[in-house]
Amino acid sequence: MNLSFRQLQAFREVMRTGSISEAARALNRTQPAVSAMIASLEEELGLTLFERQRGRLIRKPEAQYFLGEAEAILERLAQSTRTMKEIADLQEGRLRIACMPASSQFMMPRLVADFIRDKPQVKVSLMMRASSIIEEWVASQQYDIGLAETPPPNHALTTETFELRCVCALRHDDPLAAKAVIGPEDLAGKPLAVLQEDHPNLVASREVFRKAGAEFNPRFELRNYQPALMLVEEGLCYCICDPMTASSYFEYKQAEPALVFRPFVPEVRLSVSILQPAHRPASLLTASFVEILVEALEAIDRQFHPGDATA
């Protein structure tokens, strides 16, 4: 059976008006065209819907029954059209986002909140996990977007990578806070809060100190930088942290922040990537949110480097 949308429309109008000519006028079509559509519809269905008596159409019981079916189909098509338009307008759909700890408490929730504020029908799944788990989730298409430390090449992922320049966290009343930038010689022998032993940022930081001939003194070892800032507030250490963590600090310490952040040179960078499944095209909703995430990461990197030409 090969029923068409126009056949169903024509049938509904004939049933509503009781006349081929009136239906043709309502549909802005010719009377022969509407008659042909009704005839082809009857042929497809294999039954007669109307009796023709002296130029009048008499509805048969089968026509009355089929009207309910036709209206249900047309309404379903109309609903589908409305839904697809809402999707095209970014008003409908679901976002599944997995993000690393540094972005999970403030940065990503704030971006999501701003993005969906005028999209009440959009649903969001936002999960925080370690970068290795995020890589697996996105590669297996369980999540649409991942923000994680840059993984090794993976044919199941597309990646957009950002080299975020780390900053030094220190108390606002520390003498070093008067400096525009902090270097390894400033922190020589001073206690540091660092990430776990095998983390690339710890390796890079240790190498920068070695090249400068400065003593590297890791006192606290943690899984992420956020708790490290509490230790810096207590005056127990310094921390060379990523700018996402630094930016988030001001989100929850708006009133009287105890810490300041200074660019650290030579640069120690945290490589992070926006991950998406390689073998599934991104929805319009996903692509739109990724654009906002890209802008946010670029802005956060510039936030603590006021000397940048692009700042």
Side-chain angles (χ1 to χ4, degrees):
M1 189 172 292
N2 187 26
L3 301 182
S4 73
F5 176 73
R6 289 180 177 177
Q7 285 175 323
L8 297 177
Q9 270 192 320
F11 170 72
R12 182 173 63 180
E13 282 304 315
V14 170
M15 291 291 288
R16 185 178 68 83
T17 63
S19 164
I20 292 286
S21 59
E22 290 298 322
R25 190 174 294 109
L27 295 170
N28 197 26
R29 293 189 171 277
T30 66
Q31 185 171 331
V34 173
S35 293
M37 282 189 278
I38 295 299
S40 63
L41 174 62
E42 290 177 321
E43 184 178 349
E44 287 288 345
L45 294 174
L47 52 83
T48 301
L49 298 173
F50 302 96
E51 287 184 0
R52 281 76 174 172
Q53 295 181 2
R54 300 174 185 173
R56 295 175 58 240
L57 286 180
I58 307 299
R59 305 171 185 175
K60 298 187 69 173
E62 292 82 3
Q64 198 63 47
Y65 171 79
F66 186 64
L67 177 61
E69 299 295 314
E71 287 183 330
I73 293 169
L74 290 170
E75 176 55 32
R76 184 70 183 90
L77 287 170
Q79 178 61 46
S80 296
T81 301
R82 289 192 294 269
T83 298
M84 294 310 295
K85 188 178 186 307
E86 289 172 352
I87 290 173
D89 293 339
L90 307 182
Q91 296 298 315
E92 184 85 26
R94 187 178 190 91
L95 271 178
R96 298 174 300 173
I97 305 167
C99 60
M100 58 196 292
S103 67
S104 65
Q105 288 191 315
F106 294 96
M107 173 191 155
M108 194 65 79
R110 175 172 49 79
L111 290 178
V112 168
D114 291 344
F115 183 68
I116 68 166
R117 197 175 307 281
D118 60 347
K119 304 174 180 61
Q121 300 305 313
V122 171
K123 300 183 185 300
V124 180
S125 175
L126 179 58
M127 296 292 169
M128 185 273 286
R129 287 294 186 276
S131 292
S132 58
I133 301 299
I134 295 172
E135 178 186 354
E136 293 176 8
W137 280 359
V138 177
S140 62
Q141 302 186 17
Q142 297 178 61
Y143 278 75
D144 307 307
I145 303 170
L147 180 61
E149 293 181 28
T150 302
N154 185 332
H155 72 279
L157 293 172
T158 61
T159 61
E160 187 167 0
T161 299
F162 302 82
E163 299 293 335
L164 302 181
R165 294 166 289 181
C166 290
V167 293
C168 180
L170 61 161
R171 285 182 55 88
H172 70 89
D173 55 359
D174 190 291
L176 291 177
K179 301 194 65 169
V181 297
I182 304 295
E185 63 280 357
D186 298 311
L187 302 179
K190 290 182 168 58
L192 298 171
V194 301
L195 298 185
Q196 66 270 21
E197 186 62 34
D198 59 344
H199 195 278
N201 268 57
L202 173 59
V203 175
S205 298
R206 196 192 302 276
E207 180 62 13
V208 163
F209 275 71
R210 186 192 67 78
K211 288 183 176 179
E215 179 188 352
F216 188 67
N217 179 21
R219 183 180 182 188
F220 300 99
E221 181 180 306
L222 306 111
R223 292 290 298 177
N224 62 73
Y225 286 123
Q226 286 170 339
L229 299 187
M230 298 294 294
L231 300 173
V232 178
E233 281 188 339
E234 294 297 323
L236 298 172
C237 60
Y238 298 83
C239 181
I240 304 167
C241 70
D242 68 274
M244 286 188 294
T245 299
S247 181
S248 294
Y249 174 80
F250 293 115
E251 295 272 0
Y252 67 90
K253 291 286 186 176
Q254 293 179 13
E256 297 181 3
L259 303 183
V260 294
F261 298 87
R262 299 288 182 260
F264 186 82
V265 291
E267 289 179 358
V268 173
R269 298 188 174 218
L270 177 68
S271 181
V272 301
S273 293
I274 299 173
L275 311 178
Q276 295 184 74
H279 304 303
R280 188 185 68 200
S283 68
L284 292 175
L285 197 66
T286 296
S288 182
F289 184 76
V290 166
E291 289 181 6
I292 292 172
L293 183 53
V294 168
E295 292 174 2
L297 290 171
E298 291 174 345
I300 282 173
D301 187 60
R302 293 192 302 266
Q303 180 179 353
F304 301 99
H305 298 81
D308 285 2
T310 57

